[in-house]
Amino acid sequence: MPTDAPQPTIVLIRPQMGENVGAAARAMWNFGLDRMRIVAPRDGWPNPAAVAMASGAGRILDEAEVSTDVADGIADRTYVYATTARPRELTKPVFSPEAAMKDAAARIARGEKVAVMFGPERSGMENADIAHANAIITVPVNPEFPSLNLAQCVLLVGYEWRRAVGEVVDVVVQGQTVEPADQRDIEALARHYEDRLDDAGFFYPDHKADSMKVNLRNLWSRMPMTRADVQMLHGMLRQLLRGKT
């Protein structure tokens, strides 16, 4: 069964190859999307090639809804985006993928039923298809090579959906020991190095010693160190000085 998570429905318009439908299903599931609709697939449905390509996302294909035309495929949706790389003469709002998925998230939160349409691989959707949509999503691609593979386009929209619903952390520190060093740790490290460097005559000449110590303290404070980093730096200095005193 589909997940209960509120999400847009992904609608593939006249897909031409089962492999691309399977790859699109895989891209959807990478980002937690599992509601696929397929409109007039060229090679019929179900398609064994799609299942082989889905690689773990076969459930999405099993539960995909199949329609004969665009109007039927989006009949119960309240707001529909059409993805296209080519400029269109139709007057509609044109969103970037990021802005579109933020808009979609807001609409879904209000109870609207949203769909995103993707056209056939060779030429994309026709204007007659896009006329059914409320808005257009255009990817800022290289104008000299604007064509995106179907699964690539689905993946891009899926990623932006994931970002829009707050499930992407921009920066995270990972590892076995990631507890950040506190100011007490940094102070002890700074004193350790300062004292040993002082013993070694590093702060020379005397009239520059204070500014050199300030610069050294500033270096430590700029470094985003973990407690493990601090312990390692203490150990490195002790090892270097072993047998020297």
Side-chain angles (χ1 to χ4, degrees), residues 136-221:
I136 288 173
I137 299 175
T138 295
V139 180
V141 294
N142 177 4
E144 296 181 5
F145 190 61
S147 178
L148 282 175
N149 175 273
L150 173 60
Q152 290 176 328
C153 195
V154 172
L155 185 79
L156 192 154
V157 169
Y159 171 71
E160 293 298 349
W161 167 255
R162 195 80 168 187
R163 284 172 52 85
V165 295
E167 297 184 18
V168 176
V169 178
D170 288 334
V171 179
V172 63
V173 178
Q174 294 182 334
Q176 294 179 339
T177 53
V178 296
E179 181 183 359
D182 59 26
Q183 290 303 311
R184 186 183 300 103
D185 298 325
I186 302 300
E187 177 65 18
L189 181 67
R191 286 187 177 278
H192 189 186
Y193 272 76
E194 186 176 304
D195 291 345
R196 299 291 77 78
L197 289 170
D198 211 357
D199 294 340
F202 176 77
F203 299 111
Y204 178 85
D206 290 344
H207 69 275
K208 292 185 177 181
D210 288 343
S211 63
M212 292 173 72
K213 291 177 181 179
V214 169
N215 288 339
L216 182 60
R217 291 295 182 102
N218 192 47
L219 181 150
W220 298 124
S221 67

Side-chain angles (χ1 to χ4, degrees), residues 1-11 24-38 56-65 77 154 158 161-162:
M1 295 294 291
T3 64
D4 293 330
Q7 60 180 269
T9 298
I10 302 301
V11 184
R26 185 174 179 176
M28 287 172 60
W29 193 229
N30 281 148
F31 296 102
L33 298 171
D34 63 355
R35 295 170 197 172
M36 174 185 282
R37 294 182 182 180
I38 306 171
R59 176 181 65 80
I60 294 174
L61 302 179
D62 293 340
E63 296 164 357
E65 301 176 29
R77 302 295 92 180
V154 172
W161 167 255
R162 195 80 168 187

Side-chain angles (χ1 to χ4, degrees), residues 37-100:
R37 294 182 182 180
I38 306 171
V39 174
R42 184 191 66 180
D43 296 337
W45 197 258
N47 188 314
V51 176
M53 184 61 73
S55 185
R59 176 181 65 80
I60 294 174
L61 302 179
D62 293 340
E63 296 164 357
E65 301 176 29
V66 181
S67 304
T68 57
D69 57 49
V70 173
D72 183 49
I74 60 173
D76 62 345
R77 302 295 92 180
T78 60
Y79 200 86
V80 178
Y81 304 88
T83 59
T84 178
R86 293 186 288 116
R88 304 287 180 156
E89 59 268 24
L90 300 173
T91 302
K92 294 183 185 294
V94 179
F95 289 85
S96 68
E98 180 181 13

